[in-house]
Amino acid sequence: MNSNPRNPIQNFPKQLLPLLLSLLDDALLLGFSHLGLHLQWLKWLSPVIFYGTLLYFAVQVMRYLSKSQAL
């Protein structure tokens, strides 16, 4: 399947993935802490997902800017 960068519907699932990972991490952290479970790996997973999301969006912006300069 060829993806058209101008078609937001085709790119929507790929853009939604970092947000869903972040929300899942927060839900797990809150749910487990409510049950009395304090898992150390959930405490460091949230910043890792956050910085991964920032890196992902930075790469996407750089790709967009490099494509717009090539035109």
Side-chain angles (χ1 to χ4, degrees):
M1 176 171 87
N2 293 336
S3 65
N4 185 356
R6 294 175 195 232
N7 188 354
I9 294 174
Q10 288 180 345
N11 292 330
F12 186 70
K14 195 161 74 169
Q15 293 172 350
L16 192 61
L17 184 63
L19 176 65
L20 291 177
L21 284 176
S22 178
L23 290 175
L24 177 65
D25 173 51
D26 292 340
L28 287 174
L29 187 61
L30 288 173
F32 284 145
S33 63
H34 181 70
L35 294 173
L37 300 172
H38 299 285
L39 304 174
Q40 292 298 324
W41 61 273
L42 278 177
K43 291 181 182 178
W44 62 261
L45 185 61
S46 184
V48 168
I49 291 175
F50 176 73
Y51 289 119
T53 303
L54 285 179
L55 180 65
Y56 170 78
F57 285 124
V59 168
Q60 294 300 319
V61 168
M62 288 184 345
R63 282 183 179 176
Y64 175 76
L65 291 176
S66 68
K67 284 182 182 179
S68 66
Q69 288 177 355
L71 296 176

